Amino acid sequence: MSGGPAVNGGPTAGGGLSTNGGLSTNGGPGVSGGPTVHGDLAELRERARAVLDPAHYDYYAGGVGDEVVLGENEAAFRRLALLPRVLRGRATRDLAVDLPGGRLALPVLVAPTAFHRLAHPDGELATARAAAAAGTVLVSGVASTVAIAEVVAAAREVDAGAAVWFQLYPHPEHDVTACLVRRAERAGCTALVVTADSPVFGRHRRDAEHGFHDLPEGLAAENMRDLPGGPPGGTRDIAMSPAVSWADLDRLRALTSLPVWLKGVLHPRDAVLAVEHGAAGVVVSNHGGRQCDLVPAAVDALPAVVEAVAGRVPVLLDGGVRGGGDVAVALALGAAAVGVGRPVLWGLAAAGEAGVARVLDLLRDEFDHVLALCGGRDPADLTRDLVVPRGTGVSARCG
Ligand SMILES: Cc1cc2nc3c(=O)[nH]c(=O)nc-3n(C[C@H](O)[C@H](O)[C@H](O)COP(=O)(O)O)c2cc1C
Ligand SMILES: O=C(O)C(=O)c1ccccc1
């Protein structure tokens, strides 16, 4: 799995021969205080498959339609190669990046995914603790099974300076959106992420086959409780609406002084509109292949968005990131950082907080290693000329 003994491995030893070890927990101190979990991402995924109800595993794993985009997100990374630079004399590495809404100790954050208590009883509390311990941001979804105030509190118990962002869909009823924004602010979130790629729900065949349409008894979308127009004490549905427009983004921004990211941008023109409408940044994403099965892989859509934004705001990418090499490629193509969705769910299902810690530690360690192999000192050393189409070895731009 990992290549040879740890030779000057930088911040972590990482690459030694002893890292194998399956999924056993050894009871020693983990990154965030729990047991240390071994195993790579593929093993964690297999463990998750073994422990989860098949309907819940398929809910997490699945995509829209024929799942073309789901596969393409990962395949597109494998069509790209890195052209390392050598002898750059970078003795140390610093993986941190500063973004509107917080500093990340590694250029990887936790993308918003729904219903973590389907994966593990600790749900989003475990994810928040592991993200905080790793020094990165959890983007906590409106569709979380723990209320946002508790999610932020869990992160802050681990690290008083931890940053948690709140993801929401602009609700067709503005007072519902306003209430959600207020809850996120009161909870202490440091940024909002507005998901724009879901005017309608994606149609997921796996969910239909399992008849999986409702959360099990005892679980609910806790942020949707006690909202205007909803039953007292009960929850409202997470509404998606094709009527949502840029005017809704303007109205949402007017409610808050928090940075607002726009997630689910693929068209360069929309990225420009996002900047013009005051977005603090854009997230290039096809929702992990769960919305439209006709769109490009996320990493294939990235360069045109980066070019259109032209450095005015940071660009994030999510979709198909499965290793530190993918992180490096995305950064070289202009992403400031990447989000990971499913790998975090596999870690959570396999081993709760320690499993999520393992996923983030693997990505940090692999990214650090690849950065070193590229002669990089920090993410800024990963430039566009370092990425070439696999099979060519020729850089589009040499300079
Ligand atoms: C089970 C699941 C639930 C998701 N729920 C949300 C959500 O509520 N809001 C959102 O903006 N994105 C959601 N996403 C999309 C993720 O934020 C992210 O775009 C995607 O998972 C990235 O792809 P990856 O899983 O290949 O890393 C969800 C993804 C999954 C797999
Ligand atoms: O499953 C999803 O991808 C998703 O985005 C979502 C949205 C609302 C409720 C639950 C999940």
Side-chain angles (χ1 to χ4, degrees):
M1 205 176 327
S2 39
V7 184
N8 185 23
T12 51
L17 288 169
S18 60
T19 51
N20 147 44
L23 283 158
S24 58
T25 59
N26 69 3
V31 181
S32 52
T36 303
V37 176
H38 297 289
D40 63 14
L41 284 187
E43 291 166 29
L44 289 168
R45 180 184 176 135
E46 279 318 303
R47 178 80 187 131
R49 194 204 298 270
V51 299
L52 287 173
D53 178 322
H56 301 160
Y57 175 83
D58 274 337
Y59 167 66
Y60 288 153
V64 71
D66 293 334
E67 301 189 338
V68 171
V69 176
L70 176 68
E72 274 293 290
N73 276 347
E74 292 183 25
F77 277 108
R78 293 196 291 270
R79 290 194 293 263
L80 298 170
L82 272 173
L83 271 185
R85 300 301 305 272
V86 298
L87 299 178
R88 288 211 273 187
R90 311 283 211 262
T92 58
R93 289 178 298 289
D94 177 3
L95 310 187
V97 290
D98 281 304
L99 297 174
R103 181 181 178 81
L104 316 184
L106 69 163
V108 178
L109 50 73
V110 178
T113 53
F115 310 144
H116 290 193
R117 278 192 163 145
L118 287 178
H120 189 276
D122 296 341
E124 288 82 2
L125 298 173
T127 319
R129 290 184 189 119
T136 195
V137 161
L138 164 65
V139 185
S140 196
V142 67
S144 66
T145 44
V146 176
I148 186 62
E150 292 172 46
V151 175
V152 177
R156 297 267 161 87
E157 274 167 27
V158 171
D159 174 1
V164 177
W165 301 355
F166 184 70
Q167 174 272 329
L168 72 166
Y169 299 94
H171 198 279
E173 293 165 42
H174 186 66
D175 54 346
V176 172
T177 304
C179 189
L180 291 170
V181 168
R182 211 53 73 218
R183 280 179 188 178
E185 284 182 327
R186 275 203 295 268
C189 292
T190 53
L192 300 176
V193 177
V194 174
T195 301
D197 59 18
S198 305
V200 290
F201 278 100
R203 293 179 177 162
H204 300 171
R205 233 172 262 160
R206 299 197 207 196
D207 295 348
E209 279 162 12
H210 288 292
F212 177 61
H213 304 297
D214 293 306
L215 287 173
E217 196 63 33
L219 298 190
E222 292 297 337
N223 296 312
M224 300 304 287
R225 227 177 253 293
D226 285 316
L227 286 169
T235 57
R236 290 202 66 169
D237 285 345
I238 297 167
M240 294 174 176
S241 169
V244 164
S245 73
W246 293 102
D248 293 284
L249 182 69
D250 294 341
R251 289 211 288 171
L252 190 151
R253 275 198 60 239
L255 291 170
T256 182
S257 56
L258 292 177
V260 176
W261 292 80
L262 196 69
K263 175 174 183 280
V265 173
L266 295 172
H267 199 299
R269 183 71 199 131
D270 282 338
V272 171
L273 282 168
V275 174
E276 290 170 358
H277 285 265
V282 298
V283 186
V284 173
S285 170
N286 54 35
H287 212 109
R290 295 166 73 85
Q291 280 301 114
C292 176
D293 208 25
L294 300 161
V295 297
V299 73
D300 286 338
L302 176 65
V305 169
V306 167
E307 192 178 343
V309 165
R312 285 173 288 176
V313 298
V315 176
L316 304 181
L317 166 122
D318 72 36
V321 173
R322 299 294 178 262
D326 301 335
V327 180
V329 165
L331 265 57
L333 293 176
V338 301
V340 279
R342 292 180 184 84
V344 168
L345 296 170
W346 306 144
L348 182 64
E353 177 185 346
V356 178
R358 172 70 179 162
V359 169
L360 295 172
D361 194 47
L362 276 170
L363 290 169
R364 189 197 51 70
D365 180 55
E366 289 174 7
F367 174 69
D368 178 65
H369 196 69
V370 174
L371 183 62
L373 287 168
C374 289
R377 199 195 78 79
D378 58 38
D381 279 337
L382 296 169
T383 47
R384 178 71 187 82
D385 54 298
L386 267 58
V387 179
V388 296
R390 184 161 293 288
T392 67
V394 177
S395 179
R397 276 190 269 148
C398 302

